[in-house]
Amino acid sequence: ITALDLHAYGAGGGRTQGGGGGYAEGTLAVTAGQTLYVVGGEGGISPTEVAPANPRLGGFGGGGGSRSPTSFGSGGGFSGMFSVEAQHGGSEPNSDFFEAIEAPEVYLIAGGGGGGGGNPPSGGSGGGLVGGMGGSTFPVEASEAQASRNGVNGGGGGQTNGGQAGTGPLGTSTDGGFLTGGGQGNPIGAGGGGGGYYGGGGGVAGPTDGSGGGGSSYHGHPQITSGATTIAATSAKGAGEA
């Protein structure tokens, strides 16, 4: 075997308004004895599983929303393929595994969708080379793939930076980062950003609770040929809470 055709699908964000996961593909040149590490994306965690004390808890690599009586969604994780020099332990977004991975070691990633807030709008779609901003409409337009914030909604992750956190007078959040989506802060009420090559920014709570941005996909490694990405055109339709 000298080449593998890779197909990766990002996970959708939590709650009915969670953003759909993106898609990435490419052909990877491989050599005898090479070891590939594959990370499967997880859907956004149901609000009942998100502890108020841990607002960053989300799908594998996705930022989290916080639990509340009206239900808020976490960001979906990514689906990625890595090549690393040694096996790294752990399986959570902030584990030694994630801390040890560097950008050149990533072969291909499909970005996860952002989580929906307590009040619509929808979470941003997983990328594409740039994830969808929180508050996107469906079907997604090309202009909605942006890394900058959209009011209280987080921006989508890009190829060099995470999406900006939403901003508003009543809440705080965090930007997306390498492999991880931004977490919704305080007070509770918004959606977390989706994980990706760079994750989407988290939304903030307010009169209209913000949604997280989608994470970006990636296929730019030198050993990947025929690479392509597709941004999710529709919402996750609640699949992230499965």
Side-chain angles (χ1 to χ4, degrees), residues 3 14 29 48 59 72-73 83-85 93 117 120 143 148-149 174 190 201 203 218-219 226 231 241:
T48 59
F72 309 106
S83 173
V84 293
E85 293 299 323
S143 61
S148 57
R149 66 176 60 92
T174 55
Y218 172 77
H219 63 79
S226 303
I231 191 170
E241 294 187 13

Side-chain angles (χ1 to χ4, degrees), residues 18-56:
Y23 170 77
E25 66 180 29
T27 299
L28 173 66
V30 294
T31 58
Q34 185 175 4
T35 299
L36 301 181
Y37 296 93
V38 180
V39 179
E42 295 180 0
I45 293 175
S46 169
T48 59
E49 298 178 85
V50 180
N54 189 7
R56 285 193 59 82

Side-chain angles (χ1 to χ4, degrees), residues 118-133:
N119 305 310
S122 300
S125 293
L129 298 180
V130 179
M133 65 184 182

Side-chain angles (χ1 to χ4, degrees), residues 30-151:
V30 294
T31 58
Q34 185 175 4
T35 299
L36 301 181
Y37 296 93
V38 180
V39 179
E42 295 180 0
I45 293 175
S46 169
T48 59
E49 298 178 85
V50 180
N54 189 7
R56 285 193 59 82
L57 183 64
F60 196 88
S66 291
R67 186 192 321 182
S68 96
T70 50
S71 170
F72 309 106
S74 301
F78 56 80
S79 176
M81 300 190 180
F82 307 93
S83 173
V84 293
E85 293 299 323
Q87 173 117 25
H88 301 293
S91 60
E92 295 302 321
N94 295 319
S95 72
D96 291 341
F97 179 89
F98 280 84
E99 292 173 357
I101 296 294
E102 298 179 357
E105 298 173 327
V106 176
Y107 285 138
L108 184 135
I109 281 181
N119 305 310
S122 300
S125 293
L129 298 180
V130 179
M133 65 184 182
S136 295
T137 58
F138 297 103
V140 172
E141 302 291 337
S143 61
E144 294 175 318
Q146 65 176 51
S148 57
R149 66 176 60 92
N150 178 25

